[in-house]
Amino acid sequence: MNNISALKRYQIAKVYRRDNPSKGRYREFYQCDFDIAGQYEPMEPDFEVIKVLTELLDRLDIGTYEIKLNHRKLLDGMLEICGVPPEKFRTVCSSIDKLDKQTFEQIKKELVEEKGLAIETAEKIGTFVEKRGPPLEILSELKKEGSQFMENSGSVVALNELDILFKALEKSKCLDKVVFDLSLARGLDYYTGVIYEAVFKGATQVGSIAAGGRYDNLVGMFSGKQVPAVGVSLGIERVFTIMEQLEKDRNQVIRATETQVLVAILGKDLTLAAELVSELWKAKINAEFKLTKRVMNHITYAKQSGIPWMVLVGESELEKGIVKLKNIEANQEEEVPRKTFVEELQRRINSA
Amino acid sequence: MNNISALKRYQIAKVYRRDNPSKGRYREFYQCDFDIAGQYEPMEPDFEVIKVLTELLDRLDIGTYEIKLNHRKLLDGMLEICGVPPEKFRTVCSSIDKLDKQTFEQIKKELVEEKGLAIETAEKIGTFVEKRGPPLEILSELKKEGSQFMENSGSVVALNELDILFKALEKSKCLDKVVFDLSLARGLDYYTGVIYEAVFKGATQVGSIAAGGRYDNLVGMFSGKQVPAVGVSLGIERVFTIMEQLEKDRNQVIRATETQVLVAILGKDLTLAAELVSELWKAKINAEFKLTKRVMNHITYAKQSGIPWMVLVGESELEKGIVKLKNIEANQEEEVPRKTFVEELQRRINSA
């Protein structure tokens, strides 16, 4: 961190993961990150990160989603209450983390047979991890008189933090996107406070599309200087998967380019192509050029690329001082003066 | 290239170089690339890449520049004419490439003493490498009757290609940015045709800011399939160096953020901060919030960050149902109703 003790940053870039990725995941992928590091009032940056996440997902406009949220200290408190020995917290957490893919019966078997928990302990975990719902409701349930969580010091810290966070999110009008979920554990060891995972609720099954949390000790592990931090990461490939499916559902072809016009030169005259295409570029029209004597090559290329308009020029057009405008979809051709073809084309594009 | 035999691509990303970089260069840096690969008519993609380069540099609006341009086959032809043995072409080229930093006398010494050329050979090179100027003028000089280049087969190929290229660039109205320069050699071995280098002509000394050329054999070296290609790369850091200097010259401070408003909460009420800042965010005003009882901390922070407006809220403001708007630069404060502070602020920002 080069002596920087506070920063807000975002980054959209390639990142790498070491593990063997499951289907639809890659070792090299694009990620969109937002992080806040530094000393702040309790939940100040946590609120901002979650707010940014909701704004991001709302703006992407890919469909409904929910942000599952939990707190590591509450999770640890829960395991303590259930009688799990501290050295088994992490391994039990990684079992719980599979609850979105497996039934509790399967997890219970794993907890008892593989991780060596007593059946009663596993069953008690079962009663807790089924708690999920509107944040303020679940919070008040966990805080009500006689709740075991209120006698557990770590849990009390967590519940107080969540109280501050939920009230801020409520005032910011985005708490309705959050689901307080005691089964959310998140695999990564370095989280120390609030953890969350955004899950897409639409038809395309991609699992979580964004996730993050508070990692107060991670910077210190590498820099020797403790810098508390909180952040979130969004997986671009998963968002693209959803967007592509949405386009397919609307029967729309995803075009690789935004080219509006193909300057189709019948022959090899690069100078002519340069002249015509430059006039279009100057008018901010997305245009490409192609040199070939065969009209069908031009038309096939335009069709395959989804280019809607062609400007056809051969020797006879040059002699007559005209160019041909071809509307590919309508399969209509007309002659316009060479001198005014840009305006003529612009008018037709704009009125489409 | 994964079986792709033609593509146009651009990329803005980090790249890496292995050599020991000179001052102002880094081993890891951002580069903006544009390349075209595939079979085309002669000079078709070369024209497009250079046109894109001029559009890019014009749009960046950082000041005047020139694109020095040469052709590898012409360079080799020139060395052949001068009597350089083929095995010394590359090493002689790398000497010539230093001509933008050293005098010809220094280069001549290197060519004779280190590279073992005869003095007459070195001096003949000297008469050629001083040729630079408007492309069509230099080209017609090299092509005129009796020119040694017209008797050298590689040079004839190069001159014919340049003829096509220059005419296309002329019709595209960007040939005035190009200087035909027989001393341009470019260090990299893999160039096979046209080579170029964009040099910034303004006050900030950064040397070349973009460079590229045709590399017809490079893809084949790695893929086993020959795919001709041409491209250009622009160094982002160098462009930033120029931009920063321009801002300094205009006495403008470069702000790290675009924050327009600081929501300054006098105390630790995150809920209040969340409420007020969310209203600003919803209205698309760039806002941050800060929690601290000390007014001076808020003001100092706003000044340091160049944030022009503050919304000050403490207990007394809350009780009165108002907030204070502070214009930092004018050092003026006024009270507006809490309920309408967003519109009030927006009006003041827009009228500024």
Side-chain angles (χ1 to χ4, degrees), chain B residues 231-287:
Chain B
V232 70
S233 299
L234 173 105
I236 311 262
E237 280 85 356
R238 297 191 161 204
V239 171
F240 284 172
T241 303
I242 297 169
M243 286 178 165
E244 282 169 8
Q245 189 59 48
L246 288 174
E247 292 291 302
K248 267 190 208 161
D249 295 348
R250 291 181 199 125
N251 274 319
Q252 289 185 341
V253 178
I254 297 165
R255 292 186 58 195
T257 73
E258 290 182 355
T259 309
Q260 296 164 289
V261 180
L262 175 67
V263 174
I265 305 291
L266 297 166
K268 300 190 171 188
D269 191 345
L270 178 62
T271 311
L272 178 62
E275 186 176 348
L276 296 174
V277 80
S278 296
E279 289 180 31
L280 292 169
W281 286 338
K282 200 177 170 196
K284 310 262 182 245
I285 295 172
N286 293 328

Short mmCIF file of all heavy atoms in Angstrom, two decimals, chain B residues 231-287:
data_model
loop_
_atom_site.label_atom_id
_atom_site.label_comp_id
_atom_site.label_asym_id
_atom_site.label_seq_id
_atom_site.Cartn_x
_atom_site.Cartn_y
_atom_site.Cartn_z
N GLY B 231 0.02 -2.46 -37.12
CA GLY B 231 -0.56 -1.91 -35.90
C GLY B 231 0.16 -0.69 -35.38
O GLY B 231 1.19 -0.27 -35.93
N VAL B 232 -0.40 -0.13 -34.34
CA VAL B 232 0.21 1.04 -33.70
C VAL B 232 -0.06 0.97 -32.20
O VAL B 232 -1.07 0.40 -31.76
CB VAL B 232 -0.35 2.35 -34.30
CG1 VAL B 232 -1.81 2.58 -33.92
CG2 VAL B 232 0.49 3.54 -33.89
N SER B 233 0.86 1.51 -31.40
CA SER B 233 0.71 1.56 -29.95
C SER B 233 0.95 2.97 -29.46
O SER B 233 1.88 3.63 -29.91
CB SER B 233 1.72 0.64 -29.27
OG SER B 233 1.52 -0.68 -29.68
N LEU B 234 0.12 3.41 -28.54
CA LEU B 234 0.26 4.73 -27.95
C LEU B 234 0.56 4.57 -26.47
O LEU B 234 -0.10 3.78 -25.78
CB LEU B 234 -1.04 5.52 -28.16
CG LEU B 234 -1.13 6.88 -27.48
CD1 LEU B 234 -0.95 7.98 -28.51
CD2 LEU B 234 -2.45 7.06 -26.77
N GLY B 235 1.57 5.29 -25.98
CA GLY B 235 1.92 5.20 -24.56
C GLY B 235 1.10 6.17 -23.72
O GLY B 235 1.24 7.38 -23.85
N ILE B 236 0.26 5.60 -22.87
CA ILE B 236 -0.67 6.45 -22.09
C ILE B 236 0.09 7.33 -21.11
O ILE B 236 -0.21 8.51 -20.96
CB ILE B 236 -1.67 5.58 -21.31
CG1 ILE B 236 -2.31 4.54 -22.20
CG2 ILE B 236 -2.69 6.46 -20.60
CD1 ILE B 236 -3.65 4.86 -22.72
N GLU B 237 1.10 6.77 -20.42
CA GLU B 237 1.84 7.55 -19.42
C GLU B 237 2.45 8.82 -20.03
O GLU B 237 2.46 9.87 -19.41
CB GLU B 237 2.95 6.71 -18.77
CG GLU B 237 2.47 5.77 -17.67
CD GLU B 237 1.95 4.45 -18.20
OE1 GLU B 237 1.89 4.27 -19.45
OE2 GLU B 237 1.60 3.57 -17.39
N ARG B 238 2.94 8.70 -21.24
CA ARG B 238 3.55 9.86 -21.88
C ARG B 238 2.50 10.92 -22.21
O ARG B 238 2.75 12.12 -22.09
CB ARG B 238 4.28 9.42 -23.14
CG ARG B 238 5.41 8.48 -22.78
CD ARG B 238 6.34 8.21 -23.91
NE ARG B 238 7.57 7.69 -23.32
CZ ARG B 238 8.75 7.75 -23.88
NH1 ARG B 238 8.88 8.31 -25.06
NH2 ARG B 238 9.82 7.27 -23.27
N VAL B 239 1.35 10.45 -22.65
CA VAL B 239 0.26 11.39 -22.92
C VAL B 239 -0.14 12.10 -21.62
O VAL B 239 -0.36 13.31 -21.59
CB VAL B 239 -0.95 10.66 -23.54
CG1 VAL B 239 -2.17 11.57 -23.62
CG2 VAL B 239 -0.60 10.13 -24.92
N PHE B 240 -0.20 11.32 -20.52
CA PHE B 240 -0.54 11.92 -19.22
C PHE B 240 0.50 12.96 -18.81
O PHE B 240 0.17 14.02 -18.27
CB PHE B 240 -0.66 10.85 -18.14
CG PHE B 240 -1.93 10.05 -18.23
CD1 PHE B 240 -2.13 8.93 -17.43
CD2 PHE B 240 -2.94 10.41 -19.11
CE1 PHE B 240 -3.30 8.19 -17.50
CE2 PHE B 240 -4.11 9.67 -19.20
CZ PHE B 240 -4.29 8.56 -18.39
N THR B 241 1.79 12.65 -19.04
CA THR B 241 2.85 13.60 -18.71
C THR B 241 2.61 14.93 -19.43
O THR B 241 2.70 16.00 -18.83
CB THR B 241 4.22 13.03 -19.15
OG1 THR B 241 4.41 11.77 -18.50
CG2 THR B 241 5.36 13.97 -18.77
N ILE B 242 2.25 14.84 -20.70
CA ILE B 242 1.97 16.06 -21.48
C ILE B 242 0.75 16.78 -20.92
O ILE B 242 0.76 17.99 -20.71
CB ILE B 242 1.74 15.71 -22.96
CG1 ILE B 242 3.01 15.11 -23.57
CG2 ILE B 242 1.31 16.95 -23.75
CD1 ILE B 242 2.81 14.49 -24.95
N MET B 243 -0.31 16.02 -20.64
CA MET B 243 -1.55 16.63 -20.14
C MET B 243 -1.34 17.31 -18.80
O MET B 243 -1.86 18.40 -18.56
CB MET B 243 -2.64 15.56 -20.02
CG MET B 243 -3.21 15.13 -21.35
SD MET B 243 -4.44 13.82 -21.12
CE MET B 243 -5.24 13.85 -22.74
N GLU B 244 -0.59 16.67 -17.93
CA GLU B 244 -0.32 17.26 -16.61
C GLU B 244 0.46 18.57 -16.76
O GLU B 244 0.19 19.54 -16.06
CB GLU B 244 0.47 16.28 -15.73
CG GLU B 244 -0.42 15.20 -15.13
CD GLU B 244 0.36 14.07 -14.47
OE1 GLU B 244 1.60 14.19 -14.33
OE2 GLU B 244 -0.28 13.07 -14.10
N GLN B 245 1.41 18.58 -17.68
CA GLN B 245 2.18 19.79 -17.89
C GLN B 245 1.29 20.91 -18.44
O GLN B 245 1.39 22.06 -18.00
CB GLN B 245 3.34 19.50 -18.87
CG GLN B 245 4.33 20.64 -18.99
CD GLN B 245 4.96 21.00 -17.64
OE1 GLN B 245 5.41 20.14 -16.90
NE2 GLN B 245 4.97 22.30 -17.30
N LEU B 246 0.37 20.55 -19.35
CA LEU B 246 -0.55 21.55 -19.90
C LEU B 246 -1.41 22.16 -18.79
O LEU B 246 -1.63 23.37 -18.76
CB LEU B 246 -1.45 20.91 -20.97
CG LEU B 246 -0.78 20.56 -22.31
CD1 LEU B 246 -1.76 19.80 -23.21
CD2 LEU B 246 -0.29 21.80 -23.03
N GLU B 247 -1.88 21.30 -17.87
CA GLU B 247 -2.68 21.81 -16.75
C GLU B 247 -1.86 22.74 -15.87
O GLU B 247 -2.33 23.79 -15.44
CB GLU B 247 -3.22 20.64 -15.91
CG GLU B 247 -4.24 19.76 -16.61
CD GLU B 247 -5.58 20.45 -16.85
OE1 GLU B 247 -6.19 20.91 -15.88
OE2 GLU B 247 -5.98 20.55 -18.02
N LYS B 248 -0.62 22.34 -15.62
CA LYS B 248 0.27 23.19 -14.80
C LYS B 248 0.49 24.53 -15.47
O LYS B 248 0.46 25.58 -14.82
CB LYS B 248 1.63 22.49 -14.62
CG LYS B 248 1.72 21.67 -13.35
CD LYS B 248 3.17 21.22 -13.12
CE LYS B 248 3.19 19.90 -12.34
NZ LYS B 248 4.47 19.20 -12.48
N ASP B 249 0.72 24.49 -16.79
CA ASP B 249 0.95 25.74 -17.53
C ASP B 249 -0.25 26.67 -17.42
O ASP B 249 -0.12 27.88 -17.44
CB ASP B 249 1.23 25.45 -19.02
CG ASP B 249 2.53 24.67 -19.19
OD1 ASP B 249 3.30 24.57 -18.20
OD2 ASP B 249 2.78 24.16 -20.30
N ARG B 250 -1.44 26.08 -17.32
CA ARG B 250 -2.65 26.89 -17.18
C ARG B 250 -2.92 27.22 -15.72
O ARG B 250 -3.99 27.71 -15.38
CB ARG B 250 -3.85 26.11 -17.74
CG ARG B 250 -3.85 25.94 -19.24
CD ARG B 250 -5.11 25.18 -19.69
NE ARG B 250 -4.93 24.61 -21.02
CZ ARG B 250 -5.11 23.33 -21.31
NH1 ARG B 250 -5.47 22.47 -20.38
NH2 ARG B 250 -4.93 22.89 -22.55
N ASN B 251 -1.97 26.89 -14.83
CA ASN B 251 -2.12 27.11 -13.39
C ASN B 251 -3.33 26.41 -12.81
O ASN B 251 -3.97 26.92 -11.89
CB ASN B 251 -2.22 28.62 -13.09
CG ASN B 251 -0.84 29.22 -12.96
OD1 ASN B 251 0.04 28.60 -12.36
ND2 ASN B 251 -0.66 30.39 -13.52
N GLN B 252 -3.66 25.26 -13.38
CA GLN B 252 -4.81 24.54 -12.84
C GLN B 252 -4.35 23.38 -12.00
O GLN B 252 -3.40 22.69 -12.34
CB GLN B 252 -5.70 24.05 -13.99
CG GLN B 252 -6.43 25.21 -14.64
CD GLN B 252 -7.41 24.74 -15.68
OE1 GLN B 252 -7.32 23.62 -16.17
NE2 GLN B 252 -8.33 25.61 -16.03
N VAL B 253 -5.02 23.22 -10.85
CA VAL B 253 -4.71 22.10 -9.97
C VAL B 253 -5.40 20.87 -10.54
O VAL B 253 -6.56 20.93 -10.96
CB VAL B 253 -5.23 22.38 -8.55
CG1 VAL B 253 -4.95 21.20 -7.63
CG2 VAL B 253 -4.58 23.64 -8.01
N ILE B 254 -4.68 19.75 -10.59
CA ILE B 254 -5.29 18.52 -11.04
C ILE B 254 -5.99 17.87 -9.85
O ILE B 254 -5.36 17.49 -8.88
CB ILE B 254 -4.24 17.55 -11.64
CG1 ILE B 254 -3.63 18.21 -12.87
CG2 ILE B 254 -4.87 16.23 -12.00
CD1 ILE B 254 -2.36 17.54 -13.33
N ARG B 255 -7.30 17.78 -9.93
CA ARG B 255 -8.07 17.20 -8.83
C ARG B 255 -8.15 15.70 -8.97
O ARG B 255 -8.36 15.18 -10.07
CB ARG B 255 -9.48 17.79 -8.81
CG ARG B 255 -9.53 19.26 -8.44
CD ARG B 255 -10.96 19.71 -8.30
NE ARG B 255 -11.65 18.91 -7.30
CZ ARG B 255 -12.97 18.88 -7.17
NH1 ARG B 255 -13.73 19.57 -7.98
NH2 ARG B 255 -13.52 18.14 -6.24
N ALA B 256 -8.00 15.01 -7.82
CA ALA B 256 -8.05 13.55 -7.87
C ALA B 256 -9.49 13.06 -7.95
O ALA B 256 -9.75 11.94 -8.35
CB ALA B 256 -7.36 12.95 -6.65
N THR B 257 -10.46 13.90 -7.57
CA THR B 257 -11.86 13.49 -7.61
C THR B 257 -12.68 14.58 -8.30
O THR B 257 -12.22 15.69 -8.50
CB THR B 257 -12.45 13.29 -6.20
OG1 THR B 257 -12.64 14.58 -5.61
CG2 THR B 257 -11.56 12.45 -5.33
N GLU B 258 -13.91 14.22 -8.61
CA GLU B 258 -14.81 15.22 -9.21
C GLU B 258 -15.90 15.59 -8.23
O GLU B 258 -16.97 16.08 -8.62
CB GLU B 258 -15.41 14.65 -10.49
CG GLU B 258 -14.38 14.54 -11.59
CD GLU B 258 -14.97 14.02 -12.89
OE1 GLU B 258 -16.15 13.66 -12.91
OE2 GLU B 258 -14.21 13.97 -13.87
N THR B 259 -15.66 15.36 -6.95
CA THR B 259 -16.67 15.63 -5.93
C THR B 259 -17.06 17.10 -5.94
O THR B 259 -16.22 17.98 -5.89
CB THR B 259 -16.15 15.23 -4.54
OG1 THR B 259 -15.65 13.90 -4.60
CG2 THR B 259 -17.25 15.33 -3.51
N GLN B 260 -18.36 17.34 -6.01
CA GLN B 260 -18.86 18.72 -6.00
C GLN B 260 -19.30 19.15 -4.62
O GLN B 260 -19.27 20.32 -4.28
CB GLN B 260 -20.06 18.84 -6.95
CG GLN B 260 -19.72 18.58 -8.41
CD GLN B 260 -20.97 18.32 -9.23
OE1 GLN B 260 -21.61 17.29 -9.09
NE2 GLN B 260 -21.33 19.29 -10.05
N VAL B 261 -19.76 18.18 -3.82
CA VAL B 261 -20.35 18.52 -2.53
C VAL B 261 -19.84 17.57 -1.44
O VAL B 261 -19.79 16.37 -1.63
CB VAL B 261 -21.90 18.39 -2.58
CG1 VAL B 261 -22.51 18.74 -1.23
CG2 VAL B 261 -22.47 19.26 -3.69
N LEU B 262 -19.46 18.17 -0.30
CA LEU B 262 -19.12 17.37 0.88
C LEU B 262 -20.27 17.49 1.88
O LEU B 262 -20.60 18.60 2.31
CB LEU B 262 -17.83 17.88 1.53
CG LEU B 262 -17.44 17.20 2.85
CD1 LEU B 262 -17.06 15.75 2.62
CD2 LEU B 262 -16.30 17.95 3.53
N VAL B 263 -20.91 16.37 2.19
CA VAL B 263 -21.93 16.37 3.25
C VAL B 263 -21.18 16.27 4.58
O VAL B 263 -20.64 15.22 4.92
CB VAL B 263 -22.92 15.20 3.07
CG1 VAL B 263 -23.88 15.14 4.26
CG2 VAL B 263 -23.67 15.35 1.76
N ALA B 264 -21.09 17.39 5.29
CA ALA B 264 -20.29 17.47 6.52
C ALA B 264 -21.21 17.31 7.72
O ALA B 264 -21.95 18.23 8.08
CB ALA B 264 -19.57 18.81 6.54
N ILE B 265 -21.18 16.11 8.30
CA ILE B 265 -22.03 15.84 9.46
C ILE B 265 -21.23 16.17 10.73
O ILE B 265 -20.16 15.61 10.95
CB ILE B 265 -22.46 14.35 9.49
CG1 ILE B 265 -23.15 13.95 8.17
CG2 ILE B 265 -23.33 14.06 10.71
CD1 ILE B 265 -24.51 14.56 7.95
N LEU B 266 -21.75 17.09 11.55
CA LEU B 266 -21.06 17.46 12.79
C LEU B 266 -21.41 16.44 13.86
O LEU B 266 -22.35 16.62 14.66
CB LEU B 266 -21.47 18.87 13.21
CG LEU B 266 -21.06 19.95 12.20
CD1 LEU B 266 -21.76 21.27 12.47
CD2 LEU B 266 -19.55 20.14 12.23
N GLY B 267 -20.71 15.34 13.89
CA GLY B 267 -21.00 14.27 14.84
C GLY B 267 -20.79 12.93 14.17
O GLY B 267 -20.03 12.83 13.20
N LYS B 268 -21.44 11.90 14.70
CA LYS B 268 -21.19 10.56 14.20
C LYS B 268 -22.43 9.88 13.64
O LYS B 268 -22.52 8.66 13.60
CB LYS B 268 -20.61 9.70 15.34
CG LYS B 268 -19.32 10.25 15.89
CD LYS B 268 -18.64 9.28 16.83
CE LYS B 268 -17.25 9.79 17.17
NZ LYS B 268 -16.48 8.81 17.93
N ASP B 269 -23.40 10.69 13.24
CA ASP B 269 -24.68 10.12 12.82
C ASP B 269 -24.63 9.62 11.37
O ASP B 269 -24.94 10.35 10.43
CB ASP B 269 -25.76 11.19 13.00
CG ASP B 269 -27.17 10.59 12.85
OD1 ASP B 269 -27.28 9.46 12.32
OD2 ASP B 269 -28.13 11.26 13.25
N LEU B 270 -24.27 8.34 11.20
CA LEU B 270 -24.16 7.76 9.86
C LEU B 270 -25.51 7.74 9.15
O LEU B 270 -25.59 7.94 7.94
CB LEU B 270 -23.58 6.34 9.94
CG LEU B 270 -23.46 5.59 8.60
CD1 LEU B 270 -22.52 6.29 7.64
CD2 LEU B 270 -23.00 4.15 8.80
N THR B 271 -26.58 7.51 9.93
CA THR B 271 -27.92 7.45 9.34
C THR B 271 -28.28 8.76 8.66
O THR B 271 -28.79 8.79 7.54
CB THR B 271 -28.96 7.13 10.43
OG1 THR B 271 -28.49 6.01 11.17
CG2 THR B 271 -30.30 6.81 9.84
N LEU B 272 -27.96 9.86 9.34
CA LEU B 272 -28.22 11.19 8.77
C LEU B 272 -27.38 11.40 7.51
O LEU B 272 -27.87 11.88 6.48
CB LEU B 272 -27.91 12.26 9.82
CG LEU B 272 -28.09 13.71 9.38
CD1 LEU B 272 -29.54 14.00 8.99
CD2 LEU B 272 -27.63 14.66 10.48
N ALA B 273 -26.10 11.03 7.61
CA ALA B 273 -25.21 11.16 6.45
C ALA B 273 -25.76 10.36 5.26
O ALA B 273 -25.82 10.86 4.13
CB ALA B 273 -23.81 10.67 6.80
N ALA B 274 -26.18 9.12 5.55
CA ALA B 274 -26.70 8.24 4.50
C ALA B 274 -27.92 8.87 3.83
O ALA B 274 -28.07 8.85 2.61
CB ALA B 274 -27.07 6.88 5.09
N GLU B 275 -28.78 9.47 4.64
CA GLU B 275 -30.01 10.06 4.12
C GLU B 275 -29.68 11.25 3.20
O GLU B 275 -30.16 11.32 2.07
CB GLU B 275 -30.86 10.52 5.31
CG GLU B 275 -32.22 11.04 4.91
CD GLU B 275 -33.06 11.40 6.14
OE1 GLU B 275 -32.68 11.03 7.27
OE2 GLU B 275 -34.10 12.06 5.95
N LEU B 276 -28.85 12.16 3.68
CA LEU B 276 -28.57 13.37 2.92
C LEU B 276 -27.76 13.07 1.65
O LEU B 276 -28.07 13.55 0.56
CB LEU B 276 -27.83 14.38 3.79
CG LEU B 276 -28.62 14.91 5.00
CD1 LEU B 276 -27.73 15.80 5.86
CD2 LEU B 276 -29.86 15.68 4.55
N VAL B 277 -26.71 12.25 1.80
CA VAL B 277 -25.85 12.00 0.64
C VAL B 277 -26.61 11.20 -0.43
O VAL B 277 -26.39 11.41 -1.62
CB VAL B 277 -24.53 11.32 1.08
CG1 VAL B 277 -24.71 9.83 1.31
CG2 VAL B 277 -23.43 11.57 0.06
N SER B 278 -27.52 10.33 0.00
CA SER B 278 -28.28 9.54 -0.97
C SER B 278 -29.19 10.43 -1.80
O SER B 278 -29.40 10.18 -2.99
CB SER B 278 -29.11 8.47 -0.26
OG SER B 278 -28.26 7.56 0.39
N GLU B 279 -29.72 11.47 -1.18
CA GLU B 279 -30.56 12.41 -1.93
C GLU B 279 -29.74 13.12 -3.01
O GLU B 279 -30.20 13.34 -4.13
CB GLU B 279 -31.22 13.43 -1.00
CG GLU B 279 -32.30 12.81 -0.13
CD GLU B 279 -32.96 13.82 0.82
OE1 GLU B 279 -33.06 15.00 0.47
OE2 GLU B 279 -33.37 13.39 1.92
N LEU B 280 -28.51 13.46 -2.65
CA LEU B 280 -27.63 14.10 -3.64
C LEU B 280 -27.24 13.13 -4.75
O LEU B 280 -27.26 13.46 -5.93
CB LEU B 280 -26.37 14.65 -2.95
CG LEU B 280 -26.59 15.83 -2.01
CD1 LEU B 280 -25.33 16.12 -1.19
CD2 LEU B 280 -26.98 17.07 -2.81
N TRP B 281 -26.88 11.90 -4.36
CA TRP B 281 -26.51 10.89 -5.35
C TRP B 281 -27.66 10.65 -6.32
O TRP B 281 -27.47 10.51 -7.52
CB TRP B 281 -26.11 9.57 -4.66
CG TRP B 281 -24.76 9.61 -4.00
CD1 TRP B 281 -23.73 10.46 -4.28
CD2 TRP B 281 -24.30 8.76 -2.94
NE1 TRP B 281 -22.66 10.18 -3.47
CE2 TRP B 281 -22.97 9.14 -2.64
CE3 TRP B 281 -24.86 7.70 -2.22
CZ2 TRP B 281 -22.20 8.51 -1.65
CZ3 TRP B 281 -24.10 7.07 -1.24
CH2 TRP B 281 -22.78 7.47 -0.96
N LYS B 282 -28.89 10.60 -5.76
CA LYS B 282 -30.06 10.35 -6.60
C LYS B 282 -30.22 11.46 -7.64
O LYS B 282 -30.66 11.22 -8.76
CB LYS B 282 -31.31 10.26 -5.73
CG LYS B 282 -32.43 9.54 -6.42
CD LYS B 282 -33.64 9.39 -5.53
CE LYS B 282 -34.81 8.90 -6.37
NZ LYS B 282 -36.09 9.09 -5.67
N ALA B 283 -29.85 12.68 -7.24
CA ALA B 283 -29.94 13.82 -8.16
C ALA B 283 -28.71 13.93 -9.05
O ALA B 283 -28.49 14.95 -9.71
CB ALA B 283 -30.13 15.11 -7.35
N LYS B 284 -27.87 12.87 -9.06
CA LYS B 284 -26.66 12.81 -9.89
C LYS B 284 -25.63 13.89 -9.55
O LYS B 284 -24.87 14.34 -10.41
CB LYS B 284 -26.99 12.90 -11.39
CG LYS B 284 -28.06 11.95 -11.85
CD LYS B 284 -27.48 10.72 -12.47
CE LYS B 284 -28.56 9.78 -12.99
NZ LYS B 284 -28.59 8.50 -12.26
N ILE B 285 -25.63 14.32 -8.30
CA ILE B 285 -24.59 15.25 -7.85
C ILE B 285 -23.46 14.42 -7.24
O ILE B 285 -23.70 13.54 -6.42
CB ILE B 285 -25.17 16.23 -6.81
CG1 ILE B 285 -26.23 17.12 -7.48
CG2 ILE B 285 -24.07 17.08 -6.18
CD1 ILE B 285 -27.00 17.99 -6.53
N ASN B 286 -22.22 14.69 -7.66
CA ASN B 286 -21.08 13.96 -7.10
C ASN B 286 -20.84 14.42 -5.67
O ASN B 286 -20.43 15.55 -5.44
CB ASN B 286 -19.82 14.21 -7.92
CG ASN B 286 -19.91 13.61 -9.32
OD1 ASN B 286 -20.54 12.58 -9.51
ND2 ASN B 286 -19.30 14.26 -10.29
N ALA B 287 -21.13 13.55 -4.72
CA ALA B 287 -21.05 13.94 -3.31
C ALA B 287 -20.32 12.91 -2.48
O ALA B 287 -20.34 11.72 -2.79
CB ALA B 287 -22.45 14.16 -2.76
#
